[in-house]
């Protein structure tokens, strides 16, 4: 039975129940807490009947839910149930043909299951459609705001200023031609060489903007490494900065002054309004850093070397005298329509898995509530900090990426604990791996790719041994006699031992150990769990059939 037929059947039967009791549509709508127009659409089969409303209506009409559901089925019951096997939720239950046939032997129960699940699917689909529509409207309003029509973005309660900046960068494909032009013009005017030095940048700051550069340690307990003072026209830098980060901080300071002088932030944002008061300042910081990258790694020269080295980040870092992270950032800026680079997504993670920077140039989704997949290369890189970590990753929907990551250490006083340790990750679509110096050969992508997801809370995988939390997509079933390799993995239907098997196994285990000196069965769940995990699926099905 298709969705339209189901909606029509539900609406027709509810209408029949109402008419049989001589209840006016307006009165029924009022008692059910909906508008008469909405109830009219439901009765005509033009709207999905949500579960809560259906249950309320059945109580209102004094109907038995099971009996009502069993009358909705059309066609052969086993066909209706067979269609459910392709649903992700029921896939996790691993219903086999024998179980399906056994369930089909009870038409009333089978019809109820099929109807309930279809109603659930309709309700969930309706909710997802509403959320999708809200996201479309949100993106449209955001884009309209960026275009300068003054539209105020809608409300998203989990939408932080950092999310707004990420959306801003992705909307512009992380490419700002106005800033590229300003950086290129400045390089040309002062005849800067390919590999800049901090001394050259200091002179540029002094001659072009009249700022003095001071090297002065911060007050005790302060971690400030750069302070730009427009009133005193000074740039104070920490003496602890090494050459590469020192160059970047000076270049970013020049970027801030350039943005102010040319009013580039206002020109790029246009008349659009940001949702958060902090967003404009955060965007300014990002654009200043963008300018620093464009000044140190000019688009034309950098793009040529990127093509020649096949995106070898380490080699590019050496050629231009920049950090690995700066080059990785710059690779995400190559969106000039005339000279486009390979699209990348970018991540920076600490050893605890916290993502402090992210950019999606490939369409990959990042978890908004924090936390990410422990199978990602950006996290696994900490296992081999001296090497480049490379892998193919496959998402639950089949989308495959090639990802590589490298750990960047900045010790203080010889201590990594006092300093910083970040993993810098880049990823692109798997088919682009052949264009990269780091690309891995593969003859079977589905076999070589590491199954991964976005975040444990929303992952559809049932066989992940790295789960850190139960997924919201599955009911959390727990069986003290059965243990999977990860506690939070959803327990599938065929993996659960039935009560008889539990009792037989428990009795046999105690009989085998007796009162000897061996450890009691099931200590820490090890003995009992391993034996249950070793039970093969076929044996359990045979036992279930004999019962």
């Amino acid at each position: 039975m298709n969705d339209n037929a189901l909606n029509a059947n539900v609406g027709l039967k509810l209408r029949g129940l109402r008419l049989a009791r001589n209840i006016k549509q307006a009165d029924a709508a009022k008692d059910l807490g909906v508008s008469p127009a909405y109830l009219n659409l439901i009765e005509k089969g033009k709207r999905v009947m949500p579960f809560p409303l259906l249950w309320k209506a059945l109580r209102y009409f004094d109907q038995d839910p099971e009996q009502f559901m069993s009358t909705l089925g059309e066609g052969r019951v086993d066909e209706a149930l067979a269609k459910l096997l392709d649903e992700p939720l029921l896939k996790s239950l691993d219903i086999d043909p024998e179980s399906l046939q056994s369930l089909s032997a009870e038409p009333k129960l089978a019809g109820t299951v099929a109807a309930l699940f279809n109603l659930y699917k309709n309700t969930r689909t309706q909710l997802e459609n509403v959320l999708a529509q809200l996201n479309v409207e949100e993106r449209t309003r955001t884009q309209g705001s960026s275009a300068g029509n003054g539209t105020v973005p809608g409300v998203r309660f989990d939408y932080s200023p950092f999310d707004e900046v990420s959306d801003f960068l992705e909307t512009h494909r992380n490419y700002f031609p106005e800033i590229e032009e300003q950086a290129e013009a400045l390089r040309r005017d002062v005849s800067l060489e390919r590999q800049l030095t901090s001394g050259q940048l200091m002179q540029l700051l002094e001659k072009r903007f009249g700022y003095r550069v001071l090297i002065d340690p911060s007050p005790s307990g302060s971690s400030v490494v750069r302070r730009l003072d427009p009133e005193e026209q000074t740039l104070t830098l920490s003496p602890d900065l090494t050459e590469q980060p020192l160059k970047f901080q000076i270049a970013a300071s020049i970027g801030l002054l350039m943005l102010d002088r040319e009013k580039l932030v206002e020109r790029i944002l246009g008349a659009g309004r940001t949702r958060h008061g902090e967003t404009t300042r955060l965007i300014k910081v990002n654009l200043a850093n963008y300018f620093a990258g464009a000044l140190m790694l000019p688009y034309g020269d950098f793009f040529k070397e990127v093509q020649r080295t096949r995106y070898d980040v380490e080699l590019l870092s050496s050629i231009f005298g920049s950090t690995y992270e700066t080059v990785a950032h710059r690779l995400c800026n190559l969106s000039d329509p005339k000279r486009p680079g390979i699209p990348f997504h970018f991540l920076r993670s600490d050893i605890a898995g916290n993502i402090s920077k992210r950019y999606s140039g490939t369409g990959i989704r990042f978890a908004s509530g924090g936390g990410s997949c422990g199978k990602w290369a950006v996290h696994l890189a900490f296992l081999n900090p001296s090497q480049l970590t490379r892998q193919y990753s496959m998402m639950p929907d089949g989308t495959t990426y090639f990802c590589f990551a490298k750990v960047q250490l900045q010790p203080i006083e010889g201590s990594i604990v006092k300093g910083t340790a970040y993993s810098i990750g880049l990823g692109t679509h798997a088919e682009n791996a052949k264009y990269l110096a780091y690309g891995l050969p593969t003859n079977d992508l589905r076999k070589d790719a590491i199954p991964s997801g976005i975040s444990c809370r929303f992952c559809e995988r049932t066989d992940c041994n790295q789960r850190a939390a139960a997924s919201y997509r599955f009911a959390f079933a727990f069986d003290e006699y059965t243990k999977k390799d990860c506690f939070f993995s959803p327990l599938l239907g065929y993996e659960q031992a039935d009560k008889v098997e539990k009792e037989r196994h428990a009795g046999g285990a105690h009989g085998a150990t007796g009162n000897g000196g061996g450890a009691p069965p099931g200590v820490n769940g090890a003995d009992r769990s391993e034996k249950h995990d070793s039970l093969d699926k076929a044996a359990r099905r045979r036992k279930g059939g004999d019962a």
Side-chain angles (χ1 to χ4, degrees), residues 322-335:
S322 297
T323 64
Y324 185 98
E325 181 176 352
T326 299
V327 172
H329 267 293
R330 190 60 171 148
L331 288 178
C332 297
N333 301 146
L334 302 182
S335 297

Side-chain angles (χ1 to χ4, degrees), residues 246-286:
L246 176 62
K247 288 192 296 185
F248 187 87
Q249 293 304 327
I250 300 173
S253 299
I254 295 174
L256 286 169
L257 297 174
M258 183 68 73
L259 292 173
D260 288 339
R261 190 177 73 182
E262 302 296 330
K263 300 188 182 301
L264 285 178
V265 176
E266 294 81 354
R267 284 160 53 184
I268 292 172
L269 285 176
R273 295 173 56 187
T274 57
R275 181 165 321 161
H276 301 279
E278 308 92 336
T279 301
T280 301
R281 288 188 175 183
L282 288 174
I283 288 176
K284 185 176 181 178
V285 171
N286 276 269

Side-chain angles (χ1 to χ4, degrees), residues 21 46 78 95 136 139 161 196 319 354 385-386 430 477-478 537 544:
R21 289 160 176 74
K46 296 182 178 180
D78 54 344
I95 300 177
V136 169
R139 188 167 294 278
L196 304 180
I319 291 172
N354 301 305
S386 62
F478 177 72
K537 181 176 177 181

Side-chain angles (χ1 to χ4, degrees), residues 233-245:
Q233 289 196 312
T234 59
L235 171 63
T236 304
L237 298 165
S238 169
D240 296 328
L241 288 171
T242 56
E243 177 65 8
Q244 290 184 345

